Structures are given as C-alpha cells and as structure tokens.
Amino acid sequence: MIFKKFIPAVILVFLGSLPLSGSAVCVQDVPDDDGSALIVSWEPPGDILGFFMYKIYRKDSLEGEFVQVGKSSKMENCFFVDKDPRFPLNSGMNVVYRIVALDEEENEIREIGVSEQFSPSHSYFNSTKKNTVVAVIFVFTALITFLNLAKKDKNLFIRKIAGLDALDEAVGRATEMGRSVLYVPGLSTMDDIATVASINILGPVAKKVAEYETKILVPNRDPIVYTITHEVVKEAYLEAGRPDAFQEDQVFFVSQNQFAFVAAVNGIMMREKPATNLYLGMFWAESLLLAETGNATGAVQIAGTDSVTQLPFFVTSCDYTLIGEELYAASAYLSRDPVLVGTIKAQDVEKAILLILLVLLSVLAILNFNFFRSESFLRFIMSFFGT
Amino acid sequence: MQLSTSIWVWIAAFLTLTIYSFLYKDNPLYRFAEHVFVGASVGWSIAIVWHMTAIPYIGIPLRDAFVQRNWPGLIYVAIPTLLGCLYFFRFFPKQSWLARWPIALMMGYYCGISISPSIETNIFTQVQGTILTGFNPTSLSSWWALLLLIGVVSTLFYFFFSLKHEGIVGKTSRLGIWFVMIAFGASFGYTVMARVSLLIGRIQFLLHDWLGILK
C-alpha cells in the first residue's frame, strides 16, 4: 500500500528532473523500500506516429542477456515501475534497462535507448511510517502507565462480559455430566491477533477445567499453534496442581486443510458429545459448520472472534458470543492479571482519545470552522492518518 | 441421463454423498470419509512442506553453501533450521523445555510484526474513513457519513471495558449494539448467499458430472 502511495510522488519528482544523464533512459531507486523496486523513465520519441507501446528489457549482469520485465501500454506513459516478483530485484544488483517502442502488432520498431548501469538500494528506515511510530510510542506509553497503575491497584474495574461469566457454569456443567470441554483455538496462525487472544484465554480455561477435574480437548489446525496450545494446557494443569491429570493426546493436531479439520472436529463432537464447546479465535467458512453441529449435540457453546463476517453465524448458533474486542479483553477478565488488566485500561484510553478526535474534528467540519477547513491543517490530519 | 465413466468422478461423488450423510447422523460412512479426508490432507501437507519448504529453503541452500564453502551462508540457513528442529524436542520429555525457545521466538516475532499493520489498518484506515471532512445538508452522502460517524461512536462506547453500561453510556452502547447487529444481519445474508452458491456447485457436480442429468 505504502509502495503504491509513494510511487506517484517519486515518479513526479523524477519526471520533473529529466533528463538526468546523457542516456535517454533514466533509472531511479524507489525510496523507503527494501531495494526491490526501481523506476525507469525515458523521453518519448519526437515522432510518435505508428508507435503504440513500449517494451522494457532488463539485464542483470554485464555478461547477461536482456530479458523483458514489462510493458508500458500507452505511448504517453514514459515510465515503468520494476517490481515484478517473477523478475526480482535485490539491493546491490547491477542492472541495465533497454526500452523499445512497438507498433500496433507489437513488432519492435525502434530502440528508445539503453540506461546506464544502476544498482537498487534498500533503506533502513521507512520515512512514510512516521505516523505509525508516533502511534506506537503513544500506545506503549499508555500501556506502561496503566500496567504500573494496575500493579498498584489490583481492583481496577472491568465491566461484565456475559459470555465469560457463563464460562464457570459451562465448565461446571461438563463436570456434572461427566463429559469433556472442547476448545477450538481458531484456524489461523500465530500472526493473527485473534489466535494470540485465544491462547491467552486457553490458559485460565484449561486451569479451571483441571481444577474441576474435567477433560479438555483442543484440536489444532496449525502446527505452531498446536505446539503452543499444548504447552499452555500442560502449564495450566501444572498451575492447578494436577500435572498427573494432563494427557498428551488432549491437545492434538488434526489437519491443515480447513474442511478436513471441520470434518474431524464435527466427528469428535458427534462421538464424544462434549458438554461445552468453546470456539475462540479466528474462523472462516467453518464457523457455522462447527457451531451448528455443536448445537445439534446440545452443548453449551461460547464463541468469540474478531472476524466480522463470521460473527453473525456465531451469534445465531451459540449461547454466548464475544464480539471483536471482547475476545481480546477476555483473558484479562478471566485472569485479573495486572499486566492484562493494564492493557485493557490502556486500550480504553486510546479509544477515548480516538473517539474525542473523531467527534471534535467532525463537529468542526460540520460547523465549517475556518481553522479546520484550512488546507494546511487538513493536509496534516490526512497525512497523519495515511491519506 | 448419462452416467460418468470416470472412476475419479465416482469416487468424488461417493465421498460427497458420504459427507452429506452427516446431515442424517454420524455413521460409519461419514467416519470413513472423514478419516480419508484428514489422512489425505495431512499427507498432502507433508509433501507440500517437504517439496516447497524443506528442499528449496533448507536442503538446497545448505548444500550450495557447503559446496561453495560459503560458511556465512551456511550459518545463515543453519541457525533458523536448528531453531525449527527444537520443536522436535517435544517428543523427549526431559528435554521438552527446548521446544519453548522457537515458540517464544515465534510469539515475539508475530506479535511484533503485527503491531504496525494493526495500527495502520485497524486505526488509521478506520479513522480516515469515518471522520467527516465537510457536511452538505442537501447531499445524501453527507447524511450517510454522519450516520456512519454516529454508528462508529456508539459502537466504540459498547467496547469500553472501564465503564459500567449505565446511564448515558448504557444508552449509547445499546445504540451501538443495534448498529452492530444490523451490520451482522447484512453480513449474514450476504454470506448465506455465497454458501448457497457452494451448495449449487456441489449439486451441479452430482447431477451434471456424475449422473449426467443436467446438461
């Protein structure tokens, strides 16, 4: 996105500075990137009659041959951004470009020119992300502040979250019925925040299950998530003082294929008949398949995801649903760990500031406030939010 | 009606019907299809990982680095490979703690790498799309933008965890949850339509490719 956003600016600067050398073809590095892109531009031929497009060739070494890396489909487009993964560019490579004009039938009719040797370079810092740096500093400052506050005051308030209040009851029900608790930590990988949140919830849930001397089943789709959930559940049993009750096969890998995973979990639901099903994490098309099967078995179901498209299915087929950020807040709510409670408080402050900004700036816009309407102020606000 | 003569179409049709038999209840045929599906997908994944990750990213670079006596290159590939291999210590109870190293590394890496995109997509882009930059009472789009702003503000109130949902906060968050539910309703309808098209695709396979009833 950043690449797309800044290319036009660079192109404009670049085109404005033509010609940069004796050659008709100029090459310039794309700033703020990893050295994987170059901008090639050239002067259009004086007489463009009969020309329809350009072919761009690149040679990656002095001894090598020119290979076509792209096409510029309009005669007036006298620039090309070379960033095709099929023809990768790396920082430090020495490349030469050759531009050829084509006729309507794509026959090469005239060589526009050959560039001088050029080497792409990478940047250590991406100056287009200054706004992100400011936001990150603010987020971390709020986080550290509230973390310290939460350590001092152990009773910081967090509002009731209905789905989590029902968790005790749901685990208790499984114990009374002598059945297991099924915990699906979503189908995504560890780079998904919902998965991280789900794993944070799994700890307190598994501890509760261990304390109640009930069995928990945790099927996994991703091998790395599997190793982590395995460790988390094992640790929870240890914390609950029941390491002996932990069975290695309670947490297991099923398949990386989405619907094979669903088929297996649905089969487990029908055969094991867990009394409580917990679907917490990232889900896709399988959400309704899982939740409907769980519903058919008569299990108490608590779901939570930040996937907007899947939440409606959970809302309709589960007893309780944690919507979006409630999933992130759940681990703090369950554990009352000062570190996690502090993060919730910090997030609330960040939301409050964003809310004030949204309302204030919008009200000023509605009132047609002159300062707000000034071009420089608008430009500042828009550049901060990335427009 | 022209039945398919391809054995693979018959196998696919048989597996489709066995999976659909779950709609009646769990049965041996479904269990058979379930186990075939899981087994085949795991086998396929192993082959993919071996041929598309282990060989090109570990095997070949290690071999090339060794043949070319490129020791920095060898270390560059060997360190992450060894870290990855630490996962296998899960199978040795006494040394299983070693598996936590790559886990910690992965957790840290993924948490860190998602900070910047999360801020950009979940905050900047959303704020940019919501903020009013002008208001024209005669323009319908301005009223929609205002409605969007009210929806976002009231929904944000619902997601305040530090405030009790009472009084004005309670009323605003209740309005917010109405907005959320309306959005869910729209999303539900849209997704159900997509699911129905998947079902149609499978029925077309059975009636056209297998039974040859549909032309």
Side-chain angles (χ1 to χ4, degrees), chain B residues 153-214:
Chain B
V153 169
S154 54
T155 306
L156 268 177
F157 264 91
Y158 177 79
F159 290 104
F160 272 115
F161 297 101
S162 303
L163 300 173
K164 276 188 182 168
H165 282 186
E166 292 170 353
I168 186 78
V169 175
K171 281 175 186 159
T172 315
S173 64
R174 189 171 288 274
L175 176 67
I177 207 68
W178 270 94
F179 273 102
V180 169
M181 289 303 156
I182 290 167
F184 283 174
S187 175
F188 188 91
Y190 179 76
T191 316
V192 164
M193 276 165 60
R195 300 292 164 82
V196 169
S197 74
L198 289 177
L199 176 69
I200 291 169
R202 212 79 290 257
I203 290 173
Q204 266 184 340
F205 165 75
L206 291 174
L207 299 182
H208 173 75
D209 297 22
W210 181 43
L211 296 175
I213 296 171
L214 283 181

Side-chain angles (χ1 to χ4, degrees), chain B residues 62-81:
Chain B
L62 277 179
R63 185 199 65 194
D64 290 351
F66 187 76
V67 168
Q68 293 160 12
R69 300 283 188 268
N70 175 10
W71 306 124
L74 191 81
I75 293 167
Y76 183 73
V77 182
I79 289 176
T81 307

Side-chain angles (χ1 to χ4, degrees), chain A residues 196-215:
Chain A
V196 178
S198 176
I199 283 167
N200 280 339
I201 302 166
L202 177 61
V205 169
K207 193 177 167 190
K208 205 160 284 190
V209 167
E211 283 165 354
Y212 279 69
E213 296 184 22
T214 310
K215 190 180 175 187

Side-chain angles (χ1 to χ4, degrees), chain B residues 81-90 96 98-102:
Chain B
T81 307
L82 288 173
L83 270 170
C85 289
L86 291 179
Y87 276 116
F88 292 111
F89 278 94
R90 280 197 61 253
S96 62
L98 280 168
R100 292 182 180 187
W101 284 35

Side-chain angles (χ1 to χ4, degrees), chain A residues 68-133:
Chain A
Q68 188 191 335
V69 290
K71 219 186 257 184
S72 181
S73 55
K74 286 181 182 171
M75 281 311 286
E76 52 272 26
N77 288 351
C78 291
F79 65 89
F80 174 75
V81 181
D82 188 7
K83 197 184 166 58
D84 190 335
R86 290 173 300 172
F87 311 103
L89 278 167
N90 295 311
S91 179
M93 274 170 76
N94 288 312
V95 295
V96 177
Y97 287 91
R98 176 171 167 256
I99 311 297
V100 177
L102 311 176
D103 66 11
E104 200 172 8
E105 283 152 3
E106 298 196 22
N107 297 312
E108 296 184 6
I109 47 174
R110 189 197 291 179
E111 182 178 283
I112 303 296
V114 177
S115 75
E116 288 174 359
Q117 193 173 317
F118 194 87
S119 179
S121 61
H122 63 266
S123 310
Y124 287 105
F125 296 99
N126 188 345
S127 63
T128 63
K129 303 231 177 190
K130 278 182 274 190
N131 51 0
T132 311
V133 173

Side-chain angles (χ1 to χ4, degrees), chain B residues 32-47:
Chain B
F32 169 75
E34 174 197 323
H35 287 88
V36 167
F37 198 1
V38 172
S41 67
V42 170
W44 179 79
S45 306
I46 291 170

Side-chain angles (χ1 to χ4, degrees), chain A residues 159 231 255 263 348 351 373, chain B residues 41 100 133 158-159 161-162:
Chain A
R159 74 160 168 84
E231 285 299 307
S255 167
D348 275 0
K351 270 180 279 183
R373 302 291 297 170
Chain B
S41 67
R100 292 182 180 187
T133 50
Y158 177 79
F159 290 104
F161 297 101
S162 303

